[in-house]
Amino acid sequence: MKKIMFSTLIIMGSLLGLLMGARATVIHGDTLKKGTLTVGLEGTYAPFSYREKGKLTGYEVDVAKVVAKKIKMKPKFVQTKWDSLLTGLDSKRYDVILNNVGVTKERKKRYIFAEPYLYSKTVLIQKQNGKLRTLKDIKGKKLAQSTSSNFGQMAKKNGAKIVAVPGMVEAMNLIESGRADAELNDAGAFELWHHKNPDVKVKAVKMDKEIPSVPAAPMLNKNNPKLQKQINQAIKELAKDGTLSHLSQKYFKTDLTKK
């Protein structure tokens, strides 16, 4: 009797395994059929990606949408803090990062990039009476930066004392309160922030002579060259037909899609 029951359990277990396997195949098939492009971004870095009246918007949100449409996929956005973005890509929480990520030699060792969709220009933000003008001036100064960002690495390389912050809003609060001397950040991001906070007495010194514009591009895992190729083609087409320039004018009030 026990042998019969044991055999029955084995048969039932095998059938259950087959059913689960079939169900998993169907789910996987549905996912491929839907064609979802999962995009990692901060969602708190205006005008790149941010929430307005609860809705996710911004230049990179719109770029992701038009790229996804070009490659016949549906965009799905995953928000996370800057310092967690790379970890999320490594663990395949998303397919690609669109978050003003600069193309650097160090990152190219671990990841692959698609075509640039933006060229970032750097400014040194400080109080209106601040006297910092060059990278030499920030040596020994307290700079409020995201530690793993391009700007944070640049500040550290030039001898600044890094005060770690999750984003620009926190950095500006530290500068305004005097707990930090300055911040290196994107010119477009500062202009939008200052437009919304005109009473805060800060200024931005252009760093064009020392820091050339840095291309920002979609970043992917190295094992995803097929998707890279699709995104490359989409961005080239969107640049050619003027879509990227139009979106840049919409969010930055200037065209940052060219060097």
Side-chain angles (χ1 to χ4, degrees), residues 7-62:
S7 300
T8 304
L9 287 171
I10 291 174
I11 294 168
M12 289 178 67
S14 300
L15 287 171
L16 182 60
L18 288 170
L19 286 170
M20 289 179 71
R23 186 171 182 269
T25 304
V26 172
I27 291 171
H28 184 59
D30 287 346
T31 302
L32 292 175
K33 189 176 180 181
K34 288 178 182 177
T36 301
L37 179 68
T38 310
V39 182
L41 42 68
E42 284 179 273
T44 57
Y45 187 30
F48 297 93
S49 63
Y50 60 103
R51 289 197 175 272
E52 191 169 75
K53 297 180 181 178
K55 184 180 179 182
L56 190 64
T57 187
Y59 176 72
E60 287 171 323
V61 174
D62 281 6

Side-chain angles (χ1 to χ4, degrees), residues 47-242:
F48 297 93
S49 63
Y50 60 103
R51 289 197 175 272
E52 191 169 75
K53 297 180 181 178
K55 184 180 179 182
L56 190 64
T57 187
Y59 176 72
E60 287 171 323
V61 174
D62 281 6
V63 169
K65 287 178 179 178
V66 292
V67 165
K69 186 176 180 180
K70 277 281 184 184
I71 62 178
K72 294 179 172 59
M73 298 179 83
K74 182 180 179 181
K76 177 184 177 182
F77 297 99
V78 178
Q79 284 186 242
T80 187
K81 291 181 179 179
W82 166 261
D83 291 337
S84 302
L85 272 173
L86 301 189
T87 305
L89 186 61
D90 291 337
S91 61
K92 299 181 181 179
R93 285 186 62 206
Y94 24 82
D95 305 305
V96 60
I97 293 175
L98 270 78
N99 199 79
N100 194 27
V101 179
V103 180
T104 64
K105 289 181 180 179
E106 291 75 18
R107 287 178 182 146
K108 287 173 79 173
K109 291 176 183 177
R110 291 182 58 191
Y111 306 98
I112 54 176
F113 288 88
E115 287 288 315
Y117 54 79
L118 180 78
Y119 290 87
S120 286
K121 295 183 179 181
T122 305
V123 290
L124 181 58
I125 306 164
Q126 58 199 289
K127 283 190 173 183
Q128 280 186 347
N129 60 355
K131 297 180 181 180
L132 306 178
R133 296 286 181 274
T134 68
L135 288 175
K136 287 183 179 180
D137 295 335
I138 71 174
K139 185 176 181 179
K141 300 296 182 182
K142 293 180 181 179
L143 264 70
Q145 307 285 169
S146 296
T147 54
S148 59
S149 69
N150 294 350
F151 303 115
Q153 292 172 8
M154 191 181 301
K156 186 178 180 180
K157 184 180 178 181
N158 285 276
K161 297 177 181 178
I162 306 299
V163 181
V165 292
M168 187 175 186
V169 174
E170 294 81 3
M172 299 309 296
N173 289 338
L174 291 179
I175 293 171
E176 187 182 8
S177 65
R179 287 177 288 169
D181 299 304
E183 180 200 23
L184 288 170
N185 211 317
D186 179 82
F190 172 76
E191 287 301 327
L192 182 65
W193 180 89
H194 202 225
H195 177 74
K196 293 184 176 182
N197 300 272
D199 297 328
V200 181
K201 295 180 180 180
V202 292
K203 64 181 179 182
V205 176
K206 293 180 180 180
M207 305 297 287
D208 296 359
K209 291 182 179 180
E210 290 188 271
I211 307 172
S213 59
V214 178
M219 187 165 72
L220 308 89
N221 279 314
K222 279 192 172 183
N223 62 357
N224 215 348
K226 184 178 179 181
L227 180 59
Q228 177 199 33
K229 186 176 180 180
Q230 290 176 303
I231 294 176
N232 277 343
Q233 185 60 36
I235 290 177
K236 286 177 182 178
E237 292 176 9
L238 293 165
K240 187 175 181 179
D241 68 18

